[in-house]
Amino acid sequence: MLRTSALLVAYLWMASAASISRSAPPDAPLVGHWKLTGDARDSSGQENHGRNHGVTFDETAAAFNGVDGYIEVPHAKSLGLGTGDFTLAVWVHTDEKLKDVLGDILSKFDAETNTGLNFGIMNAVGATSAQSNYRHLYFGIDRDSKPELVDCGRPGNNKMIWALTTFDGHLYAGTWEPGDGEAGHVYRYEGTDVWTDLGSPDLCNTVSALGEHGGELYAGTSFYSGQGSAQPTSPNKNPGGKVFRYEGEDGWVDCGKIGEVYTVTGLVTFNGELYATTCDSYGCPSPKEACYRYDGDQKWTFVGSAGGRLGAFAVHNGDLYATVFSNDHGFARYDGRDGWLSLGVPPETGQTYSAVIYRGDVCLGTWPTGMVYRYADPKQFISMGRLGEEKEVMAMAVHNGKLYGGTLPLGEVYRYDGGEKWTNLGQIDTTPDVMYRRVWSMAVYDGKLYAGTLPSGHVFSIEAGKCVTNDRALAPGWRHIAAVKSDGLLTLYVDGKKVAQSTPFDASDFNLTNDKPLRIGFGEHAHFNGKMRDLRIYSAALDELQLNEAISAGR
């Protein structure tokens, strides 16, 4: 009996010790610890309790609906991170099939002074004909820094960077190469100004769309005459309208011709399926301007038309959208059964080029007034201002808390600074003696924003503040992710393993303290679409061992 009691006491002691070990945080000061199991209270002792806005809780996690749910933590002295080291650590769950962007995990950012931090997962389409980023983790900081623009060279002999996308750790470009005997190519960026030629999937002159689907890279091809950009007509008249899948050393696999079209205007993954927008050729209206769904092998199924040329896709709050080139239909939504529903036309707009999710809303770039509009409700578009004196807004992207747009006819890049104010960051295509210069494509890669041009065919990087990105798709399901600021470096970890690190910077240049609230599940990009638990902020840089202790504690 005595021996049994002793064993029982020993067992209870070990169970208690194991429980304490599992729940004990790493030996570092906590700024906040939101368990997110039942409520939004802070258990760190700092009293940084959250105010719930539409987030639902159970005993295991908090569910964020991606539409309007988030947690707001009022500013407090303990949340003023200054220039010091810190760590963000959290468990997140994302679904495999997505009908929305993934959005912001955490932000504490003052958009008026460009000061603070941004942390989330990018799903970006509509920039302009590519799915530029898919499930890419990012972490950025800024303190009103001046953006730096760097020429990254010209891939091949191209005259237009039609598409940019980040896939499996690399940046890819699809090009227009209109010369006699030339064809559109796909290139992979190797750094500085070096591009590796991955060949021409098709005989036509343009690789017009790129995107990731099912863990593989897809490319859409087109015939582009050049007339719409005031360029000489291309002698290569081979039709496009095909989609190809990249197989590495084995080259490109033909995934089929889409109807009788000449042009693929966009690619997107929506609800686990691949969609393409098409038309006969750019600048040639046709009843074949429509949307198709890929059903495997070389089969494409017609899923409707919107009464004009469908262009850039957008995925938002459970629906698939597309821009439309038409005086009667500027923006449309796919309803999955009856085809496409017109949502109206932004004011004074003949063509709607790009679509981006910014602060939880769809924003649209237009021609011929060079305006950007926020889509509010059917038939309602709210002006966000004109980009200088430009006539057309093509590529747009959200990067490190700010919205950027590229223009025609001068080929400039602008940053949105609130209200109707846009700041000109500079002209990145300075080709002389031409009517039009375009900044058509954008993608985020290696912690920077990249933009492609016409007619110079160059790609430029834009760095604002300091940012680090994991340029490979985050796997669905539960993942532990961490962002660490330490000794002038930003580092990302997934499941306890380092996946990306920034270039060095001077930490004294980035005092991140601002008086804005900390927002969990919302920021400058979009509301978070998924689940979270065990969110911790430490006022110190955790090493890999400590991070793995945090993982064990919150598992």
Side-chain angles (χ1 to χ4, degrees):
M1 183 71 177
L2 182 61
R3 187 172 185 274
T4 301
S5 298
L7 287 172
L8 179 60
V9 169
Y11 170 78
L12 292 173
W13 181 88
M14 287 187 292
S16 176
S19 175
I20 292 170
S21 176
R22 283 194 300 270
S23 62
D27 186 18
L30 274 168
V31 171
H33 180 198
W34 299 269
K35 295 179 180 179
L36 303 179
T37 52
D39 56 40
R41 294 182 64 80
D42 171 28
S43 60
S44 71
Q46 298 284 356
E47 302 294 321
N48 289 317
H49 303 304
R51 298 169 181 169
N52 184 24
H53 299 268
V55 176
T56 58
F57 299 91
D58 61 23
E59 67 277 6
T60 63
F64 295 77
N65 61 17
V67 178
D68 55 10
Y70 71 101
I71 295 168
E72 182 180 65
V73 181
H75 174 68
K77 184 177 180 180
S78 59
L79 296 173
L81 298 172
T83 60
D85 294 345
F86 63 87
T87 299
L88 314 175
V90 63
W91 284 90
V92 300
H93 182 280
T94 60
D95 292 336
E96 181 178 4
K97 295 181 179 181
L98 299 174
K99 298 172 70 175
D100 194 5
V101 298
L102 287 173
D104 295 279
I105 296 168
L106 182 149
S107 72
K108 196 175 191 304
F109 190 75
D110 185 339
E112 294 182 1
T113 63
N114 298 334
T115 298
L117 65 93
N118 298 280
F119 182 36
I121 309 171
M122 292 180 291
N123 276 44
V125 202
T128 295
S129 51
Q131 181 169 268
S132 57
N133 294 90
Y134 188 67
R135 306 181 72 103
H136 294 155
L137 190 64
Y138 67 90
F139 168 45
I141 62 173
D142 203 354
R143 177 71 182 191
D144 199 26
S145 62
K146 181 180 180 180
E148 297 181 4
L149 282 67
V150 176
D151 189 345
C152 300
R154 180 190 184 194
N157 195 37
N158 94 88
K159 298 199 72 175
M160 183 175 182
I161 305 295
W162 266 100
L164 287 171
T165 195
T166 299
F167 167 72
D168 197 28
H170 294 279
L171 178 68
Y172 293 82
T175 63
W176 176 53
E177 305 197 29
D180 191 14
E182 296 180 335
H185 286 242
V186 178
Y187 297 87
R188 184 179 65 227
Y189 185 50
E190 309 294 354
T192 312
D193 59 356
V194 178
W195 295 83
T196 296
D197 187 357
L198 302 181
S200 297
D202 207 349
L203 297 175
C204 58
N205 62 23
T206 307
V207 175
S208 53
L210 291 170
E212 178 175 349
H213 174 69
E216 297 181 286
L217 178 65
Y218 286 79
T221 64
S222 297
F223 161 69
Y224 180 54
S225 71
Q227 293 176 320
S229 296
Q231 290 289 306
T233 301
S234 172
N236 181 347
K237 300 295 195 297
N238 287 299
K242 285 188 172 184
V243 175
F244 295 81
R245 184 177 65 249
Y246 184 53
E247 296 288 345
E249 294 181 357
D250 295 328
W252 296 91
V253 174
D254 189 345
C255 296
K257 183 85 163 66
I258 304 177
E260 299 299 321
V261 304
Y262 273 41
T263 297
V264 177
T265 53
L267 290 172
V268 70
T269 294
F270 176 72
N271 197 27
E273 296 179 299
L274 181 64
Y275 289 80
T277 48
T278 65
C279 67
D280 245 10
S281 67
Y282 277 103
C284 302
S286 163
K288 296 168 185 173
E289 298 164 334
C291 184
Y292 291 78
R293 183 186 66 239
Y294 182 50
D295 289 334
D297 296 325
Q298 295 189 342
K299 182 180 179 181
W300 291 85
T301 299
F302 173 82
V303 294
S305 175
R309 193 184 91 198
L310 287 169
F313 279 116
V315 176
H316 181 56
N317 290 354
D319 290 304
L320 179 62
Y321 296 82
T323 63
V324 188
F325 282 29
S326 168
N327 291 325
D328 301 318
H329 311 279
F331 192 45
R333 184 181 72 237
Y334 177 58
D335 67 8
R337 173 179 290 182
D338 299 322
W340 291 82
L341 173 68
S342 175
L343 301 174
V345 184
E348 301 180 85
T349 294
Q351 298 174 354
T352 309
Y353 273 94
S354 50
V356 66
I357 312 302
Y358 175 63
R359 294 182 180 172
D361 292 316
V362 182
C363 301
L364 302 168
T366 67
W367 176 91
T369 58
M371 299 283 290
V372 172
Y373 292 90
R374 179 170 62 85
Y375 172 68
D377 288 300
K379 317 293 184 182
Q380 295 187 29
F381 300 88
I382 298 173
S383 172
M384 297 173 65
R386 184 176 183 182
L387 282 64
E389 298 297 319
E390 294 293 85
K391 295 182 178 181
E392 187 172 283
V393 180
M394 291 148 296
M396 291 197 295
V398 176
H399 174 56
N400 200 12
K402 304 296 288 186
L403 173 62
Y404 296 85
T407 67
L408 170 148
L410 294 181
E412 297 174 328
V413 175
Y414 287 76
R415 183 187 69 204
Y416 180 60
D417 284 326
E420 293 192 296
K421 180 182 178 182
W422 291 84
T423 299
N424 189 347
L425 303 182
Q427 184 178 20
I428 63 173
D429 194 315
T430 57
T431 305
D433 304 321
V434 294
M435 180 180 294
Y436 293 142
R437 305 166 189 85
R438 295 180 184 266
V439 179
W440 179 271
S441 50
M442 285 183 175
V444 175
Y445 167 72
D446 192 29
K448 304 178 185 69
L449 178 63
Y450 286 75
T453 64
L454 169 144
S456 72
H458 280 241
V459 177
F460 281 73
S461 70
I462 303 161
E463 183 171 33
K466 186 58 64 171
C467 188
V468 60
T469 53
N470 181 22
D471 299 317
R472 291 177 169 84
L474 181 73
W478 281 108
R479 294 286 174 265
H480 187 272
I481 57 177
V484 179
K485 176 178 176 285
S486 174
D487 298 326
L489 291 169
L490 302 181
T491 307
L492 287 172
Y493 294 83
V494 175
D495 294 335
K497 297 179 180 178
K498 183 168 71 174
V499 294
Q501 191 167 69
S502 72
T503 54
F505 59 91
D506 187 344
S508 65
D509 292 337
F510 293 91
N511 185 336
L512 305 182
T513 297
N514 61 60
D515 61 2
K516 299 300 180 182
L518 173 75
R519 292 183 294 183
I520 302 169
F522 188 43
E524 300 301 297
H525 174 31
H527 292 89
F528 185 68
N529 170 30
K531 298 178 181 179
M532 290 191 219
R533 69 169 186 252
D534 198 49
L535 169 62
R536 301 167 185 243
I537 303 178
Y538 300 93
S539 59
L542 271 62
D543 58 28
E544 200 160 312
L545 176 61
Q546 291 173 312
L547 277 175
N548 278 283
E549 290 178 5
I551 292 173
S552 296
R555 194 179 298 278

